[in-house]
Amino acid sequence: ITLAPLAVKDVGQLIADTLHFDTANVKSLADEIVNKTRGNPFFVNEFFKSLYAENLLNFDLSRRQWEWEIEKIQDTEIADNVVNLMISKLNKLPESTLEVLRFAACIGAEFDLYILAKLLEESPLEIFEKLETAIQKGAIVATSELNEELLITDYKFGHDRIQQAAHSL
C-alpha cells in the first residue's frame, strides 16, 4: 500500500490521540515532526518512537502528562531519511543479531530459519535465539507458528525500509 505524505493536521491528530492531548497543544510538535520526516508515514512513526527512546519525549509522573522541549527536538540531528534512521536503530541490536539480519536481507523480504542456519553454518536453534531480539524490537515479524522443534521457521522484515537498511549494512 502506497501512502501519501501525512499532513500536519493528521500528524497532530495522531500525536494528540497517542499522548491524550488536545490537537492545539501538540501543533508545534506535529509541525517539527512533519518538517523532519516530510510526512512519510513510516518515518513519522519511527521518528516519534525515537523521540521517546532518546528521552526527548517523557512522561511527567507528578503532572501525569507527556512533555517535550521543542527546542531540543529542533536541535536534534536526525537521520536524513528512513533508511539512515533504521540503520541507526539496527546498529543498537547485538552484533550477532545484526549479522543474521544482514544475511536475511540478502535472501529477501521473507526468509527461512533453515536457510539462514545453512548460510551462517550454525544450528537453527542458535539462529532462532539471535532472531528473538529482532522480533522484540519490531525489525522482523514471525510468519509461522512454533514447529515440532519449538522453533519459528518463517519470517519477514517489518517493513521494506528495514530490509533495505539491513542490506546496506
Side-chain angles (χ1 to χ4, degrees), residues 4 8 14 16 20 41 43-44 49 54 63-64 73-75 84 102 124 137 144 154 161-162 167-168:
V8 172
L14 173 72
H20 303 288
F43 200 16
V44 165
K49 289 190 286 188
E54 301 295 326
R63 295 176 54 209
R64 300 183 58 85
I73 294 170
Q74 289 169 338
D75 292 342
N84 289 343
R102 285 192 288 259
K137 297 295 184 182
S144 64
D154 300 312
R161 299 294 190 180
I162 298 171
H167 189 268
S168 72

Side-chain angles (χ1 to χ4, degrees), residues 6-27:
L6 298 172
V8 172
K9 176 185 81 133
D10 301 321
V11 173
Q13 188 64 56
L14 173 72
I15 296 168
D17 290 347
T18 303
L19 304 181
H20 303 288
F21 269 99
D22 187 68
T23 53
N25 294 336
V26 298
K27 179 151 180 16

Side-chain angles (χ1 to χ4, degrees), residues 103 107 110-121 124 127 153:
F103 275 87
I107 294 170
E110 297 182 15
F111 54 93
D112 174 89
L113 177 70
Y114 294 108
I115 292 172
L116 281 174
K118 284 194 186 287
L119 285 171
L120 292 164
E121 298 177 345
I127 301 298
T153 59

Side-chain angles (χ1 to χ4, degrees), residues 36-135:
K36 292 209 181 269
T37 65
R38 293 182 212 106
N40 176 306
F42 179 71
F43 200 16
V44 165
N45 187 41
E46 292 302 315
F47 180 71
F48 191 62
K49 289 190 286 188
S50 74
L51 290 178
Y52 178 75
E54 301 295 326
N55 292 316
L56 295 171
L57 177 65
N58 298 293
F59 190 75
D60 183 338
L61 287 171
S62 63
R63 295 176 54 209
R64 300 183 58 85
Q65 70 179 25
W66 289 94
E67 56 185 31
W68 58 91
E69 292 182 50
I70 197 67
E71 296 82 19
K72 285 185 179 179
I73 294 170
Q74 289 169 338
D75 292 342
T76 300
E77 289 296 322
I78 194 67
D80 292 335
N81 62 49
V82 180
V83 174
N84 289 343
L85 178 63
M86 295 315 302
I87 288 171
S88 69
K89 286 185 154 207
L90 288 176
N91 279 326
K92 293 177 183 173
L93 293 172
E95 181 56 38
S96 60
T97 299
L98 206 48
E99 179 186 21
V100 174
L101 291 180
R102 285 192 288 259
F103 275 87
C106 293
I107 294 170
E110 297 182 15
F111 54 93
D112 174 89
L113 177 70
Y114 294 108
I115 292 172
L116 281 174
K118 284 194 186 287
L119 285 171
L120 292 164
E121 298 177 345
E122 294 184 39
S123 74
L125 178 60
E126 289 172 312
I127 301 298
F128 176 72
E129 289 171 348
K130 292 173 183 177
L131 290 175
E132 284 182 310
T133 304
I135 292 171

